[in-house]
C-alpha cells in the first residue's frame, strides 16, 4: 500500500521536493493558505496534489505522515491536532523545532542540516 504524506503549509514546495527524494513511491499532498505560494508549489511539484487550504481546518485523517515547518509556538497545536485526527503509529514530522514538553520519538540531524523532530502518534506530554 502506498504511503500518504501531507506537507501541511507547503509554501513554495521545497518540503515536497525533499519528501519526493526520500519517499518516491508515496502519494504526496500539499496544502497552502497563500494563493501565490500554492500556485508556485503546484508549478514546482506537478507530481504532487497541491491545493489551497487552511492546514488547521483540513483533516489530517488518513495520512501516514504529516510534515510541518512551523513556529515553535504552534507545534503544540499541531501535535494536538495530529493526536486527535491521525491513527496510532502514524508520524508528525517537524523541521527545525520540537514541541515544548513532549519527548520526540527521535531527532535527526546531520552536518549543515536543520534538525527534524519525529513524533510517533499518539505522542504523550
Amino acid at each position: 500500500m502506498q504511503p500518504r504524506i501531507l506537507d501541511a503549509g507547503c509554501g513554495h514546495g521545497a518540503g515536497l521536493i525533499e519528501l519526493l527524494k526520500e519517499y518516491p513511491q508515496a502519494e504526496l499532498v500539499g496544502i497552502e493558505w497563500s494563493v501565490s505560494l500554492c500556485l508556485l508549489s503546484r508549478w514546482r511539484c506537478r507530481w504532487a496534489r497541491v491545493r489551497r487550504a487552511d492546514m488547521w481546518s483540513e483533516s489530517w485523517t488518513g495520512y501516514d505522515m504529516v510534515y510541518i515547518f512551523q513556529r515553535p509556538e504552534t507545534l503544540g497545536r499541531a501535535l494536538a491536532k495530529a493526536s486527535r485526527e491521525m491513527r496510532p503509529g502514524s508520524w508528525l514530522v517537524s523541521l527545525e523545532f520540537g514541541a515544548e514538553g513532549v519527548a520526540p520519538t527521535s531527532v535527526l540531524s546531520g552536518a549543515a542540516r536543520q534538525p527534524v523532530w519525529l513524533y510517533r502518534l499518539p505522542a504523550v506530554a
Side-chain angles (χ1 to χ4, degrees):
M1 184 178 207
Q2 181 180 29
R4 294 186 72 224
I5 300 174
L6 171 66
D7 184 347
C10 65
H12 57 74
L16 287 168
I17 291 168
E18 293 303 315
L19 287 166
L20 178 64
K21 291 176 188 175
E22 296 297 321
Y23 303 98
Q25 301 303 317
E27 175 190 347
L28 297 175
V29 176
I31 55 176
E32 173 56 48
W33 180 249
S34 164
V35 173
S36 58
L37 289 176
C38 181
L39 291 172
L40 179 58
S41 187
R42 278 186 197 156
W43 182 78
R44 292 183 75 202
C45 307
R46 296 173 193 206
W47 33 261
R49 189 166 45 96
V50 178
R51 67 185 191 286
R52 184 177 179 272
D54 176 4
M55 67 179 271
W56 300 113
S57 57
E58 287 288 306
S59 175
W60 294 357
T61 303
Y63 290 101
D64 299 293
M65 177 192 299
V66 172
Y67 170 83
I68 59 172
F69 181 32
Q70 291 290 305
R71 298 182 315 268
E73 58 270 16
T74 61
L75 288 177
R77 181 179 178 192
L79 200 50
K81 178 176 178 59
S83 294
R84 279 190 316 272
E85 297 180 6
M86 297 174 71
R87 74 180 186 298
S90 56
W91 295 88
L92 179 68
V93 177
S94 174
L95 178 64
E96 198 163 336
F97 304 108
E100 177 99 14
V102 181
T105 304
S106 185
V107 179
L108 306 176
S109 60
R113 298 191 96 184
Q114 296 165 296
V116 178
W117 299 72
L118 307 170
Y119 298 93
R120 186 138 195 196
L121 299 169
V124 179

